[in-house]
Amino acid sequence: MKPYFYSILLLLGIASGAAAQSRLPSIDFDEQIGADVEREILKDPKEYPILPKKGNEAVYNYLEKIKTNILNSGKVTHAKDFDWTLHVINDPNTINAFATPGGYIYIYTGLIHFVDNEAELAGIIAHEMAHADRRHSV
């Protein structure tokens, strides 16, 4: 089991206790878990080959534009609470995206190439952002 999954399991255990008390952990808790997971992902380039921003500005600018439009929609409760960090994972065979607490979004190149248009990609990014925004992990 990957080390960051231990953090998620810990998060779920703490969160279930907090939910039983009818209150959620602070936003800082989400940010810390997301940052911990990000560190673990960045330490494992074989499993998660993050596409560097330098030399790939076009794809990151494109994704950042989509992310900014979603954040500016007025529908994101924690739009200003999280840093909303995007990473592209260079794996053309994986059609997936995921989010971690605190607004960390990961998109595989396989997904970017799979979608037919910007609207489909925006829908997927919005879906992942909603997981973090609605604090589904907690």
Side-chain angles (χ1 to χ4, degrees):
M1 183 176 286
K2 300 286 183 199
Y4 59 86
F5 284 115
Y6 292 115
S7 296
I8 299 234
L9 291 175
L10 174 64
L11 164 72
L12 293 175
I14 292 170
S16 64
Q21 298 172 15
S22 298
R23 57 175 212 185
L24 294 174
S26 72
I27 292 295
D28 293 340
F29 185 75
D30 292 45
E31 292 172 332
Q32 183 60 53
I33 294 297
D36 289 347
V37 173
E38 180 187 47
R39 272 190 296 281
E40 292 297 322
I41 287 174
L42 294 176
K43 285 193 312 191
D44 191 0
K46 185 172 181 175
E47 182 74 24
Y48 301 101
I50 301 296
L51 196 67
K53 291 184 180 181
K54 185 170 176 70
N56 297 290
E57 291 86 357
V59 70
Y60 276 101
N61 289 340
Y62 180 67
L63 295 172
E64 288 289 337
K65 181 187 82 155
I66 294 171
K67 179 190 79 172
T68 299
N69 287 340
I70 295 165
L71 290 172
N72 290 337
S73 71
K75 304 289 184 183
V76 182
T77 303
H78 298 290
K80 298 199 185 310
D81 295 328
F82 300 144
D83 287 335
W84 297 104
T85 304
L86 278 169
H87 290 289
V88 177
I89 300 173
N90 190 15
D91 180 349
N93 297 316
T94 301
I95 302 170
N96 200 7
F98 64 93
T100 63
Y104 294 84
I105 311 299
Y106 300 85
I107 305 163
Y108 286 85
T109 54
L111 175 68
I112 295 169
H113 294 294
F114 180 78
V115 297
D116 289 327
N117 54 51
E118 184 175 318
E120 288 180 3
L121 186 57
I124 293 165
I125 293 171
H127 172 91
E128 296 305 332
M129 291 175 72
H131 284 303
D133 185 53
R134 301 292 184 232
R135 304 183 71 200
H136 288 161
S137 295
V138 294

